[in-house]
Each structure stands twice: as structure tokens, then as C-alpha cells.
Amino acid sequence: MRKYLNCLALAIVAIFLFTIRSYGQDMPKELYSAAGIPDSLKEDANSVVRYSNDEVVVEGAGKAVVKHHLIVTILNEKADKQAIIVLPYNKKFFTVSDISIHVYDAAGTLIKKYHKGDMVDVAALDDEILISDDRLLGVRHVVSGYPTTIEVEYEENQTSFIQFQWDIQGEDQSIQSAKYSITVNPEVGLRYQTRNISLTPNKTSANGKDTYIWNIANKKAIKVEEGAMPWRVLPELKIGVNKFEYYGFNGDFSTWQNFGKWQQTLNADVCDLSPQRVAEIQKMTDTIKTDKAKAKFLYEYMQKNMRYVAVTLGIGGLKPFSATFVDQKKYGDCKAFSNYMCALLKAVNIPAYYSIVHAEPNEEPLDPSFPFDITNHIIVCIPFKSDTTWLECTSSTKPFGKLGSFTENRNALLITPEGGKLVNTPKSIADDNEFTSEVHLAIDSDGSAKARVKILGTGVYRDDYIGLSYEKTDEQKEFLMQALNIKQASVFDFTQGKDEDGVREVNLNLEYDRFCDIMAGSKQFYRPRVFDLCAFTVPVLEKRNSDYYFEAPMKKTCVTTIDLPANYEVEALPANQNLKFTYGNYEISYVYNAAKNQVISTAKFNITNQVIPAAKYNEMQQYLDAVAKAQNKKLVIRHKA
């Protein structure tokens, strides 16, 4: 869903002797020279915001003028993205003017200017969006030396908005001084909330309007720890209004219920199929006995017959295509498919709710106490009497009733006739994300080997392997070698197998010119595995501050059968091990079948909780290190006497 969010805003209040003119203000010259950055702000920083000022003036519901002024110093190549300026706009509801971009060298000398005429102007399209009236103005300055300072000034005129957001601080970025102000008519009903920072505005009133000003100075850089979620760490200010106007549609966002009522009005005229089509759908399902079986049939019918295309014209960023349009044209986006699914179910008298959610694994949930729209995806909720079933209508491969890591374990806003209602989506368990594998490894006396690998994946693993089918051969190989830590093979063949009942099969055929780790006289030493069930570790930290996130809980098993070379026998098997930590366990056992001259290993690796509390990080780190050591234990074979 399309959102217009305010850009980063920061400001300075000190007065210096030498100045540069900007927007009618006298800007201190020291802000353009890298020498003016305090040493404390360089620590852990790739860039420093020297000055930024966002001034928002809200004249009424859906009407605002925003002035932006940002000065940021790029300290190294890791912050080169700061030299890419992209400004979204819309010719009718969201215009951008007075654009000025200046570039300064380390000493603060002006070396380059860009204006609106220097920027490319393109439609805001991607591989999935076919048509949009949103556009982008953009320019990229190629940084030739460090530090480099970029100054950006522009003005927005908005005649359609729902809310504002100040992303106070980026990752590995410090702030010398920061300011955000908003002036608003009290009738609009301004609300605000800070996250990951304690920040109180200075409020004044004049001429019938209230002004709120937030200031920040000398804030050190924040480093997001590996496995942490940035939304749990980086500071942010959210500003909502109770009364809004979006693309000509007035609404009330004082509560989630009222926002749902507004969305309901957008959907009211698009969720019906023609009487003739309703009769056809009823005939298609009249022999199916239960409502749940009917819903499954209709869901799979939609998956087989529709293709994804997004068209975001006007209010189309929030209003779905009509169900009749989707039924006839056979395409749509998440909004269109979810609305269409509701219409199909309505045709057979099965109640279902269009449901708005913030998608992507481990993303920030909606806040019940502060209505603010961060959603970007639509799914469907069917409240059956015995259970609640959720449908991911955008996917042509997702099993009925399965959401996956994209939208599970968070809240969604059901759009009901009574308005919006926040409810939780399902939380997966390890059994929902299974990786089951069988490996047959044949070792030759010269240390070479051949391996046949069969993998069955459900949940996130199934999603990965379906996604791989669309990639090129080299990209498939690179993904699998990295994800499984597969030893470099001379022959690497990957083929997709069956996909039945939510289980995806993939097969690997591998050949190694040298699989043996060490050859010493009559003995050979092997790591008795083709890949790792756990292919990663995490660094040792003196103190962990943030929770660690996995994409999903997981359950992994592998049975490996190793055929030893003729005239060789086992001298030493790796020890069986059983490793545990609060949210997982690893087991490995080895058996030597002398009659068949085979070694059979069975390994199991589980993570039972998606989020590992920071207090348990050290325990997890030690556990993963122990697993890595266990996976590297050697199998020793020797030539028979």
C-alpha cells in the first residue's frame, strides 16, 4: 500500500561567525566542513547528519506544506547511499518544488550543484506494478573522496495524506543536531508517539494553531546488532491525525475501528459478482459438503486462474479492483485478489474479512494503543465456527490455510461491517517449517566421492525451493551452497522434484574429485556429511542488547548413508552428541554396519522459538559453536590389513 512518509529531518540552533545563505537562513559554515564534526559523533558512524530541519504546516485534513533541509556528511563508502536523492511525488496530490542539492568536499568547499532539471523523472514502477501515477525524481552523485557533504533542500505541497513519520536516525549514523516541527489546526486532532527514544516536544499556540517542536543534539551512532530488527532499535517519531483526507476521501483515524470503517467505504462497491456469476460459482461447489472444503476449492481455483499485476492509479493504492474486474481480466494485486476471494466466498454464503497487515518476516506489528498505518499487504480471514482460517491470496503456490513468515505471528486489521478490528495471525511452530533430507554418499579409495541428496521442505523451506525454480542455474547453486554450507563440488546438479500437500522435493547430485580431508598412510579422515544442518554461528559478544530473530522456528533432520571404499573399514566414529539450549537442540548419532561396510548418521537440529531474548544470546552463541564443532568431528577409516 502506498504511503507518503516524511523524509529524515534534523536541525541545528548554534550560531557561528561565518555563514552560508540558505532558505533565507544564515547557515554556519562549519556545518559544511568535516572538521566541524565532534570526535564522539564519528565513533561507529558511516555518516553524520550535520543539520536537518523539517517544517510541517497542516492547514486542514489532507492539506499540508512541508519544507525539508538536510546536510549530511558521508564518512566512508558504506554511506554512499546518502548521495542518492530520490523524491516521490504525484502530479495531482503531492508535488515537489524548490529542489536544491549541493555537494561539498572535506574542507566545506562547494564542488557540485544539482537542481530539478538535473534529476531523472520516472514513473514509480517495478516488475509487478504495471501502471502508476506515482513518480520519482532522482539523482545520484558519485562520491570521489571522503568525507563528502551533501545538502538537500526542497518543499512538498500535499493535498492528500493520512499521517507523518520522522525516521530520526539511520543505522550507523550519528546526529549533530536535529529538529522536527509541525503546526496544525487543533480540529484535525494531532497525535504523536516516539519509539526507541525518549523525546518530548515543546508546544506553543498562536493564531488558532498549535506548534510542536522536537529537538535532538549530539546523538551517537546506533549499530544494529546481527539478527536484530531495526524497528526495535532505531528511533522514530510517528504523527497521526484524527481527521484526514486521502485522494478526496475523508476519514477518521482516531481509532482502529474508525479507520476500518473508512476502508470499508472504499471496498463497499467492489465486492459483488453478478447474479449470473454467483450462480455459476454455486454450481461449481454444490457437491462439496463442508464450508471449509468449499473455501479450499475456491482458493485453489483462484490460484490457478489469476496472475499478479499491480495498477496503482489514484486511490488504487488503497482501493481494490472490483471483484467482477478480476473475475473477467484474470489479474490483480494483493488487494484485488483478497477482495475477489471474499466475493467468491460471499457467493457461497461463507463470511470472510478483507484483512490489512504489515508484511515481511518479523516486521513491526500494528500498535493497538496508537492507530497508525504501517500496513503494506492484504490477506483474508475466514472465521469458521471450529477455527479461523487465513489465506495468502497473492501466492499461487501457498497451501490453503497457510500464511508463512511473510504475515504470520503479528496482528492484522480485519475490515468488518462494524469497522476495523485488530486480531492476531497464527504463530508457526517448528513442525510447520520442516527440512527433511536423505543423503547417500559413496566414497572411493582415492578420496573422491559421489553423493545423491533428497530434500523435502515445508513452510519457509518450501517457499525457498519454489523461489529457486525461477532463478538461473548459477544463482541456484550459490544459494544452496551458502544456505547449506556445501563443500565445493566438481559436479553440482540441482533438480526440482514433486510439490504435493505442502511439501516440496529437491534433489542434488554431487561429485567430488577429493572429498577426503586428510590422507595419511593407510588412513583417511572425513567430515562425514555433505552439508550442515546448521550452517552458521554468531559472534561472541560481551553484552547483547537486542533480541535475535530467526525467520521462523525450524525442525531439520538428515540421515546420511556412507558407502566406504572396498577394503576399508572404520577405525573411529565421531562421538554421538546431544546438545541443548533453552530454545533448541542438536542430536547426532553414528552407526557402523560392518556387513554392508556402511556408516549411517542421523542428525537433528531444531530451533523452537522465532525470537531469542537478548538475555539468552550468549547461551545460543555457545550452543551454535558447540553444534559447529560437532559437525566437524572426523570419521577415520583405514585400509584393511
Side-chain angles (χ1 to χ4, degrees), residues 430-431 433-436 461 553-557 605-607:
D431 287 344
N433 304 286
E434 287 196 77
F435 173 104
T436 306
Y461 299 108
M554 67 192 77
K555 183 178 182 180
K556 305 179 76 173
T557 63
F605 175 80
N606 300 324
I607 294 292

Side-chain angles (χ1 to χ4, degrees), residues 7-8 68-74 79-89 96-103 112-116 118-122 135-143 148-156 173:
C7 298
L8 180 71
H68 302 272
H69 188 183
L70 171 68
I71 303 172
V72 59
T73 297
I74 301 169
D80 277 358
K81 62 184 178 182
Q82 298 289 336
I84 303 173
I85 313 302
V86 179
L87 307 179
Y89 78 97
V96 181
S97 61
D98 297 336
I99 301 171
S100 175
I101 303 169
H102 293 174
V103 183
K112 185 72 175 179
K113 292 182 180 181
Y114 298 96
H115 298 284
K116 186 175 182 178
D118 301 311
M119 306 178 80
V120 296
D121 187 345
V122 297
R135 300 192 65 80
L136 300 172
L137 283 168
V139 66
R140 177 180 181 178
H141 175 75
V142 179
V143 181
T148 290
T149 297
I150 309 287
E151 180 179 29
V152 182
E153 298 175 87
Y154 63 99
E155 182 175 308
E156 300 170 3
Q173 182 180 71

Side-chain angles (χ1 to χ4, degrees), residues 77-299:
E77 66 278 1
K78 293 180 181 179
D80 277 358
K81 62 184 178 182
Q82 298 289 336
I84 303 173
I85 313 302
V86 179
L87 307 179
Y89 78 97
N90 179 292
K91 291 181 179 179
K92 187 174 182 181
F93 294 105
F94 188 90
T95 60
V96 181
S97 61
D98 297 336
I99 301 171
S100 175
I101 303 169
H102 293 174
V103 183
Y104 304 85
D105 65 13
T109 302
L110 179 66
I111 58 175
K112 185 72 175 179
K113 292 182 180 181
Y114 298 96
H115 298 284
K116 186 175 182 178
D118 301 311
M119 306 178 80
V120 296
D121 187 345
V122 297
L125 304 178
D126 58 25
D127 292 339
E128 295 178 336
I129 298 177
L130 180 65
I131 302 174
S132 174
D133 52 13
D134 293 334
R135 300 192 65 80
L136 300 172
L137 283 168
V139 66
R140 177 180 181 178
H141 175 75
V142 179
V143 181
S144 58
Y146 304 94
T148 290
T149 297
I150 309 287
E151 180 179 29
V152 182
E153 298 175 87
Y154 63 99
E155 182 175 308
E156 300 170 3
N157 192 297
Q158 302 184 25
T159 56
S160 174
F161 70 85
I162 294 177
Q163 58 205 13
F164 298 93
Q165 183 170 314
W166 182 24
D167 295 321
I168 295 171
Q169 187 173 15
E171 184 175 355
D172 302 321
Q173 182 180 71
S174 59
I175 299 173
Q176 192 164 346
S177 186
K179 178 184 175 183
Y180 190 99
S181 68
I182 182 165
T183 299
V184 60
N185 187 324
E187 293 181 357
V188 171
L190 184 137
R191 302 175 287 107
Y192 61 87
Q193 181 191 65
T194 56
R195 187 185 67 199
N196 302 321
I197 190 172
S198 179
L199 199 60
T200 301
N202 177 36
K203 180 184 176 182
T204 59
S205 299
N207 301 319
K209 293 183 179 180
D210 295 332
T211 298
Y212 300 78
I213 300 175
W214 291 265
N215 284 290
I216 296 174
N218 297 319
K219 194 170 188 309
K220 294 184 178 180
I222 296 175
K223 195 168 190 66
V224 178
E225 297 169 307
E226 178 184 341
M229 291 296 106
W231 63 268
R232 293 284 307 274
V233 179
L234 298 177
E236 182 182 78
L237 170 67
K238 295 177 180 178
I239 299 175
V241 291
N242 292 340
K243 296 180 180 179
F244 69 90
E245 181 181 317
Y246 192 75
Y247 280 70
F249 291 80
N250 293 312
D252 183 308
F253 207 168
S254 58
T255 65
W256 284 114
Q257 182 180 17
N258 286 342
F259 185 66
K261 288 179 180 179
W262 180 76
Q263 183 68 57
Q264 179 73 5
T265 63
L266 297 185
N267 294 12
D269 60 346
V270 296
C271 196
D272 289 309
L273 296 166
S274 68
Q276 179 184 354
R277 188 65 175 128
V278 168
E280 291 173 353
I281 293 165
Q282 290 174 345
K283 186 176 181 179
M284 288 165 53
T285 58
D286 61 4
T287 61
I288 301 174
K289 294 182 179 180
T290 68
D291 282 354
K292 196 161 191 176
K294 286 182 180 181
K296 183 175 186 293
F297 173 85
L298 292 173
Y299 177 70

Side-chain angles (χ1 to χ4, degrees), residues 371-625:
F372 191 88
D373 189 16
I374 55 174
T375 60
N376 58 1
H377 191 56
I378 311 296
I379 54 180
V380 168
C381 175
I382 311 176
F384 290 117
K385 291 181 180 179
S386 58
D387 62 24
T388 298
T389 296
W390 295 85
L391 302 180
E392 174 51 84
C393 297
T394 306
S395 172
S396 62
T397 60
K398 188 70 68 177
F400 175 78
K402 296 290 185 180
L403 289 181
S405 61
F406 195 60
T407 55
E408 70 184 7
N409 193 26
R410 67 202 69 187
N411 48 26
L413 185 68
L414 304 190
I415 307 303
T416 75
E418 295 76 31
K421 181 181 179 181
L422 284 177
V423 299
N424 293 329
T425 63
K427 181 178 181 179
S428 71
I429 59 176
D431 287 344
D432 295 319
N433 304 286
E434 287 196 77
F435 173 104
T436 306
S437 55
E438 297 176 1
V439 178
H440 193 145
L441 177 65
I443 298 173
D444 209 339
S445 59
D446 62 358
S448 63
K450 295 181 179 180
R452 297 194 311 273
V453 180
K454 176 182 176 181
I455 300 172
L456 301 177
T458 70
V460 294
Y461 299 108
R462 177 177 180 269
D463 292 344
D464 284 344
Y465 301 140
I466 288 175
L468 274 184
S469 65
Y470 302 104
E471 301 294 338
K472 296 178 181 178
T473 301
D474 288 347
E475 292 168 342
Q476 292 174 343
K477 179 180 177 180
E478 181 180 355
F479 173 85
L480 289 166
M481 290 191 67
Q482 181 177 351
L484 299 175
N485 196 25
I486 297 176
K487 187 176 181 179
Q488 184 69 44
S490 54
V491 175
F492 189 109
D493 291 329
F494 167 70
T495 58
Q496 295 271 6
K498 298 180 292 184
D499 185 33
E500 296 178 348
D501 299 322
V503 181
R504 183 74 168 198
E505 176 184 334
V506 298
N507 296 281
L508 301 174
N509 285 314
L510 308 171
E511 295 184 15
Y512 296 89
D513 296 331
R514 183 179 176 87
F515 191 77
C516 180
D517 294 318
I518 301 172
M519 302 182 74
S522 62
K523 297 181 181 181
Q524 296 181 3
F525 297 78
Y526 292 89
R527 284 171 292 178
R529 55 178 174 73
V530 171
F531 59 82
D532 292 335
L533 281 184
C534 177
F536 71 101
T537 57
V538 295
V540 177
L541 297 178
E542 186 174 322
K543 181 183 179 182
R544 175 78 179 192
N545 297 309
S546 306
D547 295 345
Y548 187 98
Y549 283 74
F550 289 95
E551 182 177 349
M554 67 192 77
K555 183 178 182 180
K556 305 179 76 173
T557 63
C558 181
V559 177
T560 301
T561 301
I562 304 174
D563 293 338
L564 302 185
N567 299 319
Y568 276 77
E569 62 186 359
V570 169
E571 177 173 285
L573 288 174
N576 297 340
Q577 294 198 52
N578 189 345
L579 306 172
K580 295 182 179 181
F581 100 111
T582 302
Y583 301 108
N585 68 285
Y586 175 79
E587 298 177 22
I588 182 73
S589 62
Y590 299 91
V591 175
Y592 176 47
N593 186 326
K596 294 184 177 181
N597 205 24
Q598 290 180 334
V599 173
I600 301 174
S601 70
T602 302
K604 300 178 181 180
F605 175 80
N606 300 324
I607 294 292
T608 59
N609 211 50
Q610 189 167 346
V611 182
I612 310 302
K616 293 291 183 180
Y617 176 86
N618 287 337
E619 182 189 350
M620 181 183 74
Q621 188 278 324
Q622 293 167 10
Y623 163 72
L624 293 176
D625 269 7

